[in-house]
Amino acid sequence: MPITKSAQKALRQSKRRKVQNTRRKTKFRSLVKEFRKAVSAKNFDKAKQMLPSVYKALDKAAKSKTIKKNTASRTKSRISRTLNKAAQK
């Protein structure tokens, strides 16, 4: 256990941040997973409707530095590419 006041505060902050980060990660991961399921099930209308919400979750996670900016960008690129390839076939 931390002894100094600043260390106690730092522990409280890190616990709070961990909860927020976990929440954001779970949110965007589940949305990406649901999006990929919709694409694989050839449900392109649902996938296109989900795209903005997936982008929003990824951008929020990147903005709060839960994930890196390039990771969010790469994921967005890959899911949009997946949708376009599947829709063409």
Side-chain angles (χ1 to χ4, degrees), residues 2-48:
I3 296 169
T4 61
K5 278 194 170 188
S6 59
Q8 290 171 349
K9 182 179 178 181
L11 182 66
R12 288 195 306 271
Q13 287 175 328
S14 70
K15 283 181 180 178
R16 209 171 15 242
R17 286 181 184 137
K18 182 181 180 188
V19 169
Q20 290 289 353
N21 289 340
T22 306
R23 190 175 294 152
R24 284 190 195 99
K25 270 189 182 180
T26 306
K27 174 91 172 162
F28 86 79
R29 283 181 177 164
S30 63
L31 282 171
V32 168
K33 194 182 288 187
E34 194 177 331
F35 174 84
R36 288 199 171 125
K37 277 185 186 175
V39 171
S40 65
K42 299 192 185 330
N43 194 349
F44 301 124
D45 294 333
K46 182 181 177 187
K48 283 183 182 176

Side-chain angles (χ1 to χ4, degrees), residues 67-84:
I67 57 172
K68 291 184 179 177
K69 186 172 68 170
N70 286 349
T71 304
S73 180
R74 185 177 62 242
T75 306
K76 287 174 6 182
S77 172
R78 285 180 181 172
I79 63 172
S80 64
R81 192 176 61 203
T82 304
L83 178 63
N84 290 336

